[in-house]
Amino acid sequence: KNEVEQSPQNLTAQEGEFITINCSYSVGISALHWLQQHPGGGIVSLFMLSSGKKKHGRLIATINIQEKHSSLHITASHPRDSAVYICAVPTGAGNTPLVFGKGTRLSVIA
Amino acid sequence: EAGVAQSPRYKIIEKRQSVAFWCNPISGHATLYWYQQILGQGPKLLIQFQNNGVVDDSQLPKDRFSAERLKGVDSTLKIQPAKLEDSAVYLCASRGGGEAFFGQGTRLTVV
């Protein structure tokens, strides 16, 4: 069974700071998901990546398959980035369910 | 492309009452999941459907929870009777092309 560890659990940053959230998993995977959850509960998929790096606006996600580790970076953070960021990996091949980390609660202060 | 639709968004019930949640996945997605997310924790899988068949319901408390996806499209999740510890956000997700798409969730409070 794949186990997912995220760090830090909570993070408070000043507006404009560069933010890094880390994720480690125990079993080799085909792709890793980074998700964002706002207080209302809905989850939005930010990235799905299987190698290297992806960038979308101020968000950058990297993955090292050999080390079973991924990072999510936010450049020039803004209060609207405040949310819970969750790392998730599949339990197996194909459309198997995702196993989720406990999430990182980010608060960006103006 | 329309997203995953869920209703209701919020529900407050008393313990021992019953409740039902509805999910409409993205058109064409054969795989549908229901997750339970207790405050402060990551979502936990309750049940996975492939079309109208159940793939995995090993973590579904079958004495009180039930789910169906009769025509392989919409799905309903029911709790009867509800307990205080069922208070959580219930998320529906569908999967296509490897990527997962989530609904807004239903926040259930059992009092």
Side-chain angles (χ1 to χ4, degrees), chain A residues 2-6 21-27 29-35 45-51 54 61-65 68-72 86-90 98-99, chain B residues 95 98-100:
Chain A
N2 219 337
E3 299 194 353
V4 182
E5 295 285 339
Q6 275 187 247
I21 300 170
N22 295 300
C23 174
S24 297
Y25 50 93
S26 57
V27 179
I29 55 168
S30 56
L32 177 144
H33 299 253
W34 279 104
L35 310 164
S45 179
L46 297 175
F47 296 103
M48 183 181 74
L49 68 164
S50 54
S51 65
K54 282 191 176 180
T62 63
I63 189 167
N64 185 318
I65 296 292
K68 299 186 180 64
H69 180 270
S70 176
S71 294
L72 176 69
I86 303 173
C87 168
V89 299
L98 297 176
V99 174
Chain B
R95 206 137 166 221
E99 191 160 1

Side-chain angles (χ1 to χ4, degrees), chain A residues 1 9 30 33 35 37-48 86 90 94-103 105, chain B residues 9-10 31 33 35 37 39-45 48 50 56 89 91 95-105 107:
Chain A
K1 177 184 171 184
Q9 197 170 341
S30 56
H33 299 253
L35 310 164
Q37 186 172 35
H38 282 282
I43 287 181
V44 173
S45 179
L46 297 175
F47 296 103
M48 183 181 74
I86 303 173
N95 280 338
T96 52
L98 297 176
V99 174
F100 297 80
K102 291 186 176 179
R105 184 174 299 276
Chain B
R9 286 294 312 277
Y10 305 94
T31 308
Y33 312 90
Y35 290 91
Q37 185 179 23
L39 187 65
Q41 299 180 19
K44 182 189 84 171
L45 179 72
Q48 176 185 352
Q50 185 71 18
D56 182 355
V89 174
L91 291 161
R95 206 137 166 221
E99 191 160 1
F101 296 84
F102 291 82
Q104 288 292 305
R107 183 178 295 278

Side-chain angles (χ1 to χ4, degrees), chain B residues 11-81:
Chain B
K11 190 76 178 177
I12 301 174
I13 62 172
E14 295 182 349
K15 59 184 179 184
R16 291 188 290 273
Q17 285 188 323
S18 62
V19 65
F21 313 129
W22 173 82
C23 173
N24 185 0
I26 290 175
S27 178
H29 282 190
T31 308
L32 183 148
Y33 312 90
W34 281 102
Y35 290 91
Q36 179 194 58
Q37 185 179 23
I38 293 171
L39 187 65
Q41 299 180 19
K44 182 189 84 171
L45 179 72
L46 291 175
I47 189 167
Q48 176 185 352
F49 290 97
Q50 185 71 18
N51 296 308
N52 61 349
V54 174
V55 174
D56 182 355
D57 64 356
S58 58
Q59 297 190 77
L60 187 74
K62 298 181 189 62
D63 58 334
R64 298 183 301 105
F65 285 64
S66 64
E68 59 183 14
R69 194 183 183 200
L70 291 175
K71 296 182 179 178
V73 181
D74 294 6
S75 177
T76 55
L77 176 69
K78 297 179 182 177
I79 308 175
Q80 182 179 12

